Structure formats: C-alpha cells, structure tokens
Amino acid sequence: MAPSFNAQTGSFYAPDLETMPPEARLSWLNGRLAQTVAHAYEHAPAVRRIFQQAGLTPADVATVADLDRVPVTRKDDLVELQRREPPFGGFLGVPLTAVKRIYQSPGPLYEPEGDEPDYWRWAQALHAAGFRPSDIVQNTAAYTMTPLGFMLDNGLRALGCTVVPAGPGNTKAQIQMICELGVTGYVGLPSFLMRLIEEAEKDGVRWQQDTQLRKAFVIAEPFPPSLRRALAERGILAHDAYGTAETGNLGFECGHGRGWHIPYDVIVQVVDLNSGRALPAGAEGEIVVTLLTPVYPLIRFGTGDLSALDDSPCPCGRTTPRLVGWLGRVGQAVKVRGLFVHPRQLSQAIQRFPGVARFQAVVDRPKAMDRLTVRVEPNPDVDLSGQAAAIGQALQETIKLQAVVELVPPGTLPADAPLLDDRRTWD
Ligand SMILES: [Zn+2]
C-alpha cells in the first residue's frame, strides 16, 4: 500500500487522488479500509481484541459507514495499552524489521514509522504549500525523540526537495544557513520562524533582499492572523496544517483560507462525544482517525481535538472535505449524568441570546445526583426574565440534558469565571 513513484510529478505524490469525485474516493477508501481491517485483525492483537469485544468480525467493517460500530480508542487508552503490552500496545501489524524508526511523544506514547518514502503523508500538504523539487528547505522541527522532524523530512524528500535538517535552536547558525545556502522554504513552528526573522533583522539582514526564503509550512502551534501578516510583510507565503504524533498529517491549507483539507489516504471523521457516531458536515465533535496502513493500523483513534467538517466545494479543485480548524480539546468536557458536556456546546446554545453578557455552568451533586446549573448574566438594561425557559430549551437541544437556568444580576460573574465549573467532590 506504499505510494508509488509518480513520473508526472517526479515525486511520491498523486494529485489525481485529491481531485477524484467524492463517490469514487469513498469507494477507493472503502477498498483500502476493508484491506486494512482484514490485515489488522489477523496481525495486530489489539485490533482483534477491540473487534471481538464489540462482537465484530472484519466482514462487519467493510465500509467507512460501518466504522460507527467500532469503539473509539482514545489517546489515554492507547497509553494504558502500550504500558500493558510494550512497546505498541498490540497495534503493530508488521514484523519489527519493517519498522524504520520508533519515536516517543508525551504520554508517553511510542510511534512506529513504516519503511515507506512518505509514511506520514505530508508530501501532499507540502505540495499544496508550494514546495517543489527545486526548493532548499530548512526543517526546524526536532529530529530527536518526537516524530515531527522526520515526518516533514520524509514528505519533503518524497517531493524531491533538498532538506537542511536544522532542528530547533541555534538561531545564529540557522540565519547564516538561510542566507548562505539560498534556502527557499521553511518548515517548523510559526513562532520560531518569526524569531529567526527578528534576530536576523536585528543583525542587519534585510529579509527580502538578503534571503530567498519565500514559503513556509507551519505546524504544531496556533498560527494567528497577526503572525501570518507579519510573515507576508517579509514576502513569505505561509500555509499551516494539522496532525498528531500518532497519526501524521490530518489536514492542511490549500491557500484559499477554507480550512484544512483532509489527506486523501486517511479516514478522518468528526464524531459525537457520547455515541462515537460520525457526525454530518457542520456539526462539532471529536476528530477520530483511521489509518490505512498495515504497519500501525489504528482504527478509530480519538485525537482528543474538536473540529467540524466542511464538504462544500473548494476553489482549489481538491474534492477532499476540510476540517474547519481547531476548536478545543475534548478534555475540557465534563461528564454530567453520564453525558459529556463541553464548554463549546454551552457557548453555542447561549450565543443565540444576544442579551446575555456572560454565563457560567456549574456542576454539583446534591443528594448524590448530578446537577447542571447555568448562571446567566444579562447585558446592562436587558431583562432576560422572559427568556429563561427558552435558554433552558436551547441548552437541552444542544447538550441533551436538562439544566437549571439561573438569572443573576449584571456584575455577578467575574470576567475570568470558567465557563464550566465542576464542583463535585467524590470522597
Ligand atoms: Zn482547497
């Protein structure tokens, strides 16, 4: 299932798969999924256990739609499984001799890297960011312990770029290399690129005259519009992307500012926090990933990140759906009467009432029963007393739970009050 060399692009990158009609892609993905599931069930004991516990055989999970039947394995579960069955928790689907490198990321979690040119699928993302075979690219992501450095290195090499494996730090030497080697591209953290630029300018480097660095691929931290503008002022066009250490590339910008295109060769779903079922486009939920690889076949891995899908057409011509961005962590959710409640859901419901200045949801447990109270503060001169029932209704629709709505006078809630405050004690 390794990507094959594409003579047309001169690289391990297949643009046809990005622009194929969605129905054709779905049938292609279904085929790869069935293959992956059959292989994983046979060779990865953890996958077989998950299927058996859910009463499933590989034949039951032959299409993307069938994935709803497979329970989500969350990052915490994976940490525990790896601790019990080191190093990969029973998810390795190939002999160890087929593993090129092993990384460790916080958790700790161990990630195997398969011996393929672009195992983590970054080539397509880097291509969308404008990287081409003639580029000399400074890779400032770390090459040690964690996978990002080699992930991006593999993707750049699969495209035919020349890589400068700089890693983080050593700003003076990095600036010297950028100037003297005629480096044309940057990959790494956006903040570090800005630091390099500021240091260089302090030393008298005029960025646009003295360097040829005009493209950047930034990742691993938020990329605020102000930073994007600051880079654009130096003539640098930057694209950002989303991924995880366990799963690699999960989404990337195409230049049209419409979110992150999902790579063509991985299944990325947005699922309901409670049921684990895939949600339609537009609905917020957890990003859940199914890797189509025999090496480390994570099937329905919960990233813990929140987003929503957008499947409207994109002017770039890619037909892959997009993630709308990073909307928070599942970890901020609190379980109330057995259901996850996330602060974002509360905000979504409350936003419908423009008279509300701020709110705070409090969970407590009088008489051994969870209680959710949403304290709502109006804007000055607004009377919300007629709207309490409607607010309660909006909350019920969004979080599927009944909440007590309590109207409080303006100035009651501190500006930094957490949106969701869990005050239950369990001793
Ligand atoms: Zn696009």
Side-chain angles (χ1 to χ4, degrees):
M1 284 203 276
S4 52
F5 187 77
N6 184 319
Q8 224 174 352
T9 57
S11 69
F12 291 89
Y13 159 63
D16 296 359
L17 290 168
E18 296 190 306
T19 51
M20 72 203 293
E23 316 79 59
R25 175 176 306 100
L26 184 59
S27 105
W28 183 79
L29 285 174
N30 285 342
R32 295 251 334 229
L33 176 65
Q35 241 180 311
T36 305
V37 165
H39 177 94
Y41 189 88
E42 195 60 38
H43 299 280
V47 173
R48 184 193 298 239
R49 269 198 303 273
I50 290 168
F51 272 57
Q52 283 173 344
Q53 276 162 17
L56 298 169
T57 67
D60 295 322
V61 187
T63 68
V64 175
D66 295 334
L67 281 173
D68 274 353
R69 303 177 67 178
V70 183
V72 174
T73 301
R74 297 218 150 70
K75 193 169 169 154
D76 292 342
D77 304 330
L78 194 54
V79 170
E80 187 50 38
L81 286 168
Q82 288 196 349
R83 192 172 299 148
R84 257 188 274 156
E85 200 180 330
F88 302 117
F91 282 96
L92 194 68
V94 294
L96 203 59
T97 48
V99 174
K100 184 161 63 173
R101 298 187 185 93
I102 298 173
Y103 305 100
Q104 190 198 58
S105 61
L109 271 175
Y110 293 105
E111 293 96 24
E113 180 179 281
D115 196 7
E116 292 169 28
D118 184 25
Y119 177 76
W120 306 97
R121 309 177 305 279
W122 288 106
Q124 54 192 303
L126 292 156
H127 191 273
F131 289 78
R132 296 294 180 272
S134 52
D135 280 312
I136 302 174
V137 184
Q138 191 121 333
N139 182 3
T140 67
Y143 277 80
T144 48
M145 301 285 279
T146 55
L148 189 59
F150 275 110
M151 277 187 178
L152 297 176
D153 193 297
N154 290 343
L156 290 164
R157 287 300 306 138
L159 282 180
C161 300
T162 301
V163 183
V164 181
N170 302 310
T171 49
K172 294 273 186 228
Q174 297 235 16
I175 294 161
Q176 189 182 17
M177 286 196 287
I178 288 170
C179 295
E180 294 184 357
L181 296 175
V183 166
T184 57
Y186 169 95
V187 299
L189 268 59
S191 59
F192 187 65
L193 175 55
M194 203 56 224
R195 212 178 111 205
L196 287 178
I197 291 171
E198 282 166 355
E199 289 272 324
E201 289 177 345
K202 234 188 281 167
D203 291 346
V205 173
R206 298 154 304 167
W207 196 265
Q208 302 223 44
Q209 287 99 308
D210 301 336
T211 83
Q212 296 174 51
L213 201 157
R214 298 292 175 269
K215 57 188 89 166
F217 183 78
V218 296
I219 190 156
E221 64 182 14
F223 185 39
S226 55
L227 189 45
R228 197 188 289 263
R229 275 195 303 276
L231 296 177
E233 281 162 18
R234 274 82 173 184
I236 301 171
L237 181 61
H239 288 69
D240 85 335
Y242 165 73
T244 75
E246 305 80 28
T247 59
N249 177 14
L250 299 178
F252 57 90
E253 286 189 314
C254 65
H256 288 274
R258 306 227 178 162
W260 293 318
H261 279 281
I262 292 170
Y264 51 72
D265 42 4
V266 61
I267 298 170
V268 176
Q269 300 175 301
V270 170
V271 313
D272 183 273
L273 293 188
N274 289 304
S275 70
R277 289 179 160 272
L279 291 167
E284 283 184 19
E286 182 179 9
I287 299 172
V288 167
V289 182
T290 297
L291 295 179
L292 302 169
T293 169
V295 178
Y296 193 49
L298 293 178
I299 295 171
R300 300 209 101 208
F301 174 70
T303 62
D305 290 323
L306 296 177
S307 191
L309 288 171
D310 181 352
D311 60 3
S312 64
C314 186
C316 73
R318 286 176 186 78
T319 51
T320 45
R322 303 176 304 281
L323 292 167
V324 299
W326 184 79
L327 302 177
R329 286 289 296 170
V330 174
Q332 296 161 307
V334 164
K335 226 171 193 181
V336 183
R337 279 174 253 146
L339 288 177
F340 281 112
V341 175
H342 197 279
R344 281 196 62 88
Q345 295 174 304
L346 300 168
S347 301
Q348 266 186 323
I350 299 288
Q351 261 168 23
R352 295 189 225 161
F353 301 90
V356 174
R358 54 174 62 107
F359 74 92
Q360 180 181 44
V362 176
V363 188
D364 58 3
R365 201 173 156 81
K367 297 184 193 134
M369 273 279 283
D370 289 345
R371 177 174 64 182
L372 178 67
T373 307
V374 180
R375 307 171 75 202
V376 176
E377 186 181 307
N379 283 310
D381 308 322
V382 173
D383 181 11
L384 286 175
S385 52
Q387 293 191 53
I391 293 171
Q393 181 66 32
L395 287 165
Q396 165 104 45
E397 281 165 21
T398 316
I399 59 174
K400 314 283 186 264
L401 274 175
Q402 214 157 24
V404 182
V405 176
E406 185 190 324
L407 301 176
V408 299
T412 307
L413 298 174
D416 59 353
L419 294 183
L420 182 52
D421 189 4
D422 188 355
R423 296 183 186 166
R424 290 170 295 187
T425 51
W426 299 98
D427 39 62

